[in-house]
Amino acid sequence: MIGLEDLRFVAALSRTGSLSAAARALDVTPPALSMRLKKLEAVLGVNLVIRSSRGLRFTPEGEQLVLEAQSLLARVDGLADSLSGGVFAGPLRVVAPFGFGRIHVAPVMAAFIREYPQVRATLHLSEAPWNSNVEADVVIHIGSVRDSSWVAHLLARNARWVCASPGYLRRHGTPSHPRELAQHACLSVRENEEDVTLWRYRNSHPSSRRSEALRISPALTSNNGEVVRAWAVAGLGVALRSEWDVAPSVKRGELRRLFVEYEFEGADILALVPTRRGVSARVSHFVESLKTRFQPKPPWRSN
């Protein structure tokens, strides 16, 4: 007989693509999941996956089980809501970037739980939320998404600004054009598997919209945006950072925005929801709560 944990295992295996990654997502050991897979295949009398040197793929029977598991899990997750008379209840699993999640997502979750105390919420902070191996109902992602397995809800437009501290600019001069950054110390963030050394920009004037690209040679690189912002504030170089992250520092005078007449490639803030049937009402309501915080004007553009 197939149990609920078997369905969660199959769904996790489909999303992560390997037993070791699924084990991390479910917080169990790989040998335990390997044994569960063997027992599940024995119960069903079919092979569910094919393992090779290139990885793991589902058989047609396995793919059918994945679809059924996703549908059944969505219905189970929504059952608490439907039986609670309109009061949201049950699990809510959210994955978000470290800095943005701590500053902006955590308060929304706190308010949501105060209003709906029967919801059991988890916030997992990750360097790469979209590629995280953690099971999630909502993923907060900054940047573009080209994956049909997720539905993207726009939370806020997010430009990228080039910034440096007043002290750095006094010591090294203020560049007047992005090409002059070749003579400056640049700071970069390695995130979401992007090419962090290629900064794309274009003149914001309507009559001149040709895009250009600048290849930088970073003096310092980190996988944490807050670290890079702190380096910039400390006068260690020029950084290209999300508006949400550096706008408060610019307002306080810790950083100065450069090249205002140019637009650098932006990274919109999205709430991603899996494209499975029957997304629960509490997940949909939580996404709407996020939109309320960031629309029509996000907090970093207030005042």
Side-chain angles (χ1 to χ4, degrees), residues 94-124:
V94 181
V95 182
F98 277 109
F100 191 86
R102 178 178 60 81
I103 296 170
H104 294 292
V105 179
V108 177
M109 291 190 71
F112 194 81
I113 296 306
R114 280 194 293 269
E115 187 172 0
Y116 306 107
Q118 295 183 52
V119 172
R120 304 186 308 277
T122 302
L123 174 60
H124 180 85

Short mmCIF file of all heavy atoms in Angstrom, two decimals, residues 94-124:
data_model
loop_
_atom_site.label_atom_id
_atom_site.label_comp_id
_atom_site.label_asym_id
_atom_site.label_seq_id
_atom_site.Cartn_x
_atom_site.Cartn_y
_atom_site.Cartn_z
N VAL A 94 8.21 28.15 2.64
CA VAL A 94 8.68 29.26 1.82
C VAL A 94 10.20 29.22 1.77
O VAL A 94 10.86 29.03 2.80
CB VAL A 94 8.20 30.61 2.37
CG1 VAL A 94 8.67 31.77 1.49
CG2 VAL A 94 6.67 30.63 2.49
N VAL A 95 10.76 29.41 0.57
CA VAL A 95 12.20 29.52 0.40
C VAL A 95 12.50 30.90 -0.18
O VAL A 95 11.81 31.36 -1.09
CB VAL A 95 12.75 28.42 -0.55
CG1 VAL A 95 14.26 28.52 -0.68
CG2 VAL A 95 12.35 27.05 -0.05
N ALA A 96 13.52 31.59 0.36
CA ALA A 96 13.81 32.96 -0.06
C ALA A 96 15.31 33.22 0.04
O ALA A 96 16.03 32.52 0.76
CB ALA A 96 13.04 33.95 0.81
N PRO A 97 15.81 34.25 -0.68
CA PRO A 97 17.23 34.62 -0.54
C PRO A 97 17.52 35.11 0.87
O PRO A 97 16.64 35.62 1.57
CB PRO A 97 17.39 35.76 -1.56
CG PRO A 97 16.22 35.67 -2.46
CD PRO A 97 15.11 35.08 -1.65
N PHE A 98 18.78 34.97 1.30
CA PHE A 98 19.16 35.31 2.67
C PHE A 98 18.74 36.72 3.06
O PHE A 98 17.96 36.92 3.99
CB PHE A 98 20.67 35.17 2.85
CG PHE A 98 21.11 33.76 3.13
CD1 PHE A 98 21.80 33.03 2.18
CD2 PHE A 98 20.82 33.16 4.34
CE1 PHE A 98 22.19 31.72 2.44
CE2 PHE A 98 21.20 31.86 4.62
CZ PHE A 98 21.90 31.14 3.65
N GLY A 99 19.28 37.74 2.37
CA GLY A 99 19.03 39.12 2.77
C GLY A 99 17.59 39.52 2.57
O GLY A 99 16.94 40.05 3.49
N PHE A 100 17.06 39.30 1.39
CA PHE A 100 15.69 39.70 1.10
C PHE A 100 14.70 38.94 1.98
O PHE A 100 13.72 39.51 2.46
CB PHE A 100 15.37 39.46 -0.38
CG PHE A 100 14.08 40.08 -0.83
CD1 PHE A 100 14.04 41.40 -1.25
CD2 PHE A 100 12.90 39.35 -0.83
CE1 PHE A 100 12.85 41.99 -1.65
CE2 PHE A 100 11.71 39.92 -1.23
CZ PHE A 100 11.69 41.25 -1.64
N GLY A 101 14.97 37.66 2.18
CA GLY A 101 14.07 36.87 3.02
C GLY A 101 14.05 37.36 4.45
O GLY A 101 12.98 37.45 5.07
N ARG A 102 15.21 37.69 4.98
CA ARG A 102 15.29 38.15 6.37
C ARG A 102 14.60 39.50 6.55
O ARG A 102 13.87 39.70 7.53
CB ARG A 102 16.76 38.24 6.78
CG ARG A 102 16.98 38.76 8.19
CD ARG A 102 18.46 38.76 8.54
NE ARG A 102 19.24 39.60 7.64
CZ ARG A 102 19.34 40.92 7.74
NH1 ARG A 102 18.69 41.57 8.70
NH2 ARG A 102 20.08 41.61 6.88
N ILE A 103 14.83 40.43 5.61
CA ILE A 103 14.34 41.79 5.77
C ILE A 103 12.88 41.93 5.37
O ILE A 103 12.10 42.63 6.06
CB ILE A 103 15.21 42.77 4.95
CG1 ILE A 103 16.65 42.76 5.49
CG2 ILE A 103 14.64 44.18 4.99
CD1 ILE A 103 17.62 43.51 4.60
N HIS A 104 12.48 41.27 4.28
CA HIS A 104 11.15 41.54 3.71
C HIS A 104 10.16 40.38 3.79
O HIS A 104 8.96 40.62 3.91
CB HIS A 104 11.30 41.99 2.26
CG HIS A 104 12.00 43.30 2.09
ND1 HIS A 104 11.45 44.50 2.51
CD2 HIS A 104 13.22 43.61 1.58
CE1 HIS A 104 12.28 45.48 2.25
NE2 HIS A 104 13.37 44.97 1.69
N VAL A 105 10.64 39.14 3.69
CA VAL A 105 9.70 38.01 3.68
C VAL A 105 9.34 37.59 5.10
O VAL A 105 8.17 37.30 5.39
CB VAL A 105 10.29 36.82 2.90
CG1 VAL A 105 9.32 35.63 2.91
CG2 VAL A 105 10.59 37.23 1.45
N ALA A 106 10.32 37.57 6.00
CA ALA A 106 10.05 37.14 7.38
C ALA A 106 8.94 37.96 8.05
O ALA A 106 8.07 37.39 8.72
CB ALA A 106 11.34 37.20 8.20
N PRO A 107 8.92 39.31 7.89
CA PRO A 107 7.82 40.08 8.51
C PRO A 107 6.45 39.72 7.94
O PRO A 107 5.45 39.72 8.68
CB PRO A 107 8.19 41.53 8.19
CG PRO A 107 9.67 41.52 7.97
CD PRO A 107 9.95 40.21 7.31
N VAL A 108 6.38 39.43 6.64
CA VAL A 108 5.10 39.05 6.04
C VAL A 108 4.63 37.72 6.62
O VAL A 108 3.45 37.53 6.94
CB VAL A 108 5.22 38.96 4.51
CG1 VAL A 108 3.90 38.48 3.90
CG2 VAL A 108 5.60 40.31 3.92
N MET A 109 5.57 36.79 6.78
CA MET A 109 5.20 35.50 7.36
C MET A 109 4.75 35.64 8.81
O MET A 109 3.79 35.00 9.24
CB MET A 109 6.39 34.52 7.26
CG MET A 109 6.70 34.10 5.84
SD MET A 109 7.89 32.74 5.76
CE MET A 109 6.90 31.37 6.37
N ALA A 110 5.43 36.50 9.56
CA ALA A 110 5.05 36.72 10.95
C ALA A 110 3.63 37.26 11.05
O ALA A 110 2.82 36.80 11.88
CB ALA A 110 6.03 37.67 11.62
N ALA A 111 3.30 38.23 10.20
CA ALA A 111 1.95 38.80 10.20
C ALA A 111 0.92 37.75 9.76
O ALA A 111 -0.19 37.70 10.30
CB ALA A 111 1.90 40.01 9.28
N PHE A 112 1.30 36.92 8.80
CA PHE A 112 0.40 35.88 8.30
C PHE A 112 0.08 34.88 9.41
O PHE A 112 -1.08 34.48 9.58
CB PHE A 112 1.04 35.19 7.10
CG PHE A 112 0.10 34.34 6.30
CD1 PHE A 112 -0.74 34.91 5.35
CD2 PHE A 112 0.07 32.97 6.47
CE1 PHE A 112 -1.61 34.12 4.60
CE2 PHE A 112 -0.80 32.17 5.73
CZ PHE A 112 -1.63 32.75 4.79
N ILE A 113 1.10 34.48 10.17
CA ILE A 113 0.89 33.51 11.25
C ILE A 113 0.08 34.12 12.39
O ILE A 113 -0.72 33.44 13.05
CB ILE A 113 2.24 32.97 11.75
CG1 ILE A 113 2.93 32.21 10.64
CG2 ILE A 113 2.05 32.08 12.97
CD1 ILE A 113 2.09 31.12 10.02
N ARG A 114 0.28 35.40 12.66
CA ARG A 114 -0.54 36.05 13.69
C ARG A 114 -2.01 36.03 13.30
O ARG A 114 -2.88 35.86 14.16
CB ARG A 114 -0.08 37.49 13.91
CG ARG A 114 1.17 37.60 14.80
CD ARG A 114 1.39 39.02 15.27
NE ARG A 114 1.74 39.92 14.17
CZ ARG A 114 2.97 40.17 13.78
NH1 ARG A 114 3.99 39.59 14.41
NH2 ARG A 114 3.21 41.00 12.79
N GLU A 115 -2.28 36.20 12.01
CA GLU A 115 -3.67 36.19 11.55
C GLU A 115 -4.23 34.78 11.43
O GLU A 115 -5.44 34.56 11.67
CB GLU A 115 -3.77 36.90 10.19
CG GLU A 115 -5.18 37.09 9.70
CD GLU A 115 -5.26 37.97 8.46
OE1 GLU A 115 -4.20 38.44 7.98
OE2 GLU A 115 -6.39 38.21 7.96
N TYR A 116 -3.36 33.82 11.06
CA TYR A 116 -3.81 32.43 10.87
C TYR A 116 -2.90 31.50 11.70
O TYR A 116 -2.02 30.83 11.17
CB TYR A 116 -3.76 32.05 9.40
CG TYR A 116 -4.52 33.00 8.51
CD1 TYR A 116 -3.86 33.90 7.68
CD2 TYR A 116 -5.92 33.03 8.53
CE1 TYR A 116 -4.57 34.78 6.87
CE2 TYR A 116 -6.63 33.91 7.73
CZ TYR A 116 -5.94 34.79 6.91
OH TYR A 116 -6.64 35.67 6.12
N PRO A 117 -3.12 31.43 13.00
CA PRO A 117 -2.22 30.68 13.88
C PRO A 117 -2.23 29.17 13.64
O PRO A 117 -1.35 28.47 14.15
CB PRO A 117 -2.74 31.02 15.29
CG PRO A 117 -4.15 31.46 15.08
CD PRO A 117 -4.19 32.12 13.75
N GLN A 118 -3.19 28.66 12.88
CA GLN A 118 -3.23 27.22 12.61
C GLN A 118 -2.32 26.83 11.45
O GLN A 118 -2.16 25.64 11.16
CB GLN A 118 -4.66 26.77 12.33
CG GLN A 118 -5.59 26.92 13.53
CD GLN A 118 -6.98 26.40 13.23
OE1 GLN A 118 -7.16 25.27 12.78
NE2 GLN A 118 -7.99 27.23 13.47
N VAL A 119 -1.72 27.80 10.79
CA VAL A 119 -0.76 27.52 9.72
C VAL A 119 0.58 27.20 10.35
O VAL A 119 1.04 27.90 11.25
CB VAL A 119 -0.64 28.72 8.75
CG1 VAL A 119 0.49 28.49 7.76
CG2 VAL A 119 -1.96 28.93 8.02
N ARG A 120 1.23 26.14 9.88
CA ARG A 120 2.56 25.76 10.34
C ARG A 120 3.57 26.20 9.27
O ARG A 120 3.73 25.55 8.23
CB ARG A 120 2.66 24.25 10.57
CG ARG A 120 1.61 23.72 11.55
CD ARG A 120 1.81 22.25 11.86
NE ARG A 120 1.90 21.43 10.66
CZ ARG A 120 0.86 20.97 9.99
NH1 ARG A 120 -0.37 21.28 10.40
NH2 ARG A 120 1.02 20.23 8.93
N ALA A 121 4.23 27.30 9.53
CA ALA A 121 5.07 27.94 8.51
C ALA A 121 6.55 27.63 8.71
O ALA A 121 7.04 27.55 9.83
CB ALA A 121 4.84 29.44 8.50
N THR A 122 7.25 27.50 7.58
CA THR A 122 8.70 27.32 7.58
C THR A 122 9.30 28.28 6.56
O THR A 122 8.84 28.34 5.42
CB THR A 122 9.08 25.88 7.19
OG1 THR A 122 8.49 24.96 8.10
CG2 THR A 122 10.59 25.69 7.20
N LEU A 123 10.32 29.03 6.98
CA LEU A 123 11.04 29.91 6.07
C LEU A 123 12.48 29.39 5.98
O LEU A 123 13.21 29.40 6.97
CB LEU A 123 11.03 31.35 6.57
CG LEU A 123 11.89 32.35 5.76
CD1 LEU A 123 11.42 32.42 4.32
CD2 LEU A 123 11.86 33.73 6.41
N HIS A 124 12.86 28.98 4.79
CA HIS A 124 14.22 28.48 4.56
C HIS A 124 14.96 29.52 3.72
O HIS A 124 14.54 29.86 2.61
CB HIS A 124 14.19 27.15 3.81
CG HIS A 124 15.55 26.58 3.54
ND1 HIS A 124 16.24 25.82 4.45
CD2 HIS A 124 16.35 26.67 2.44
CE1 HIS A 124 17.40 25.47 3.94
NE2 HIS A 124 17.49 25.98 2.73
#
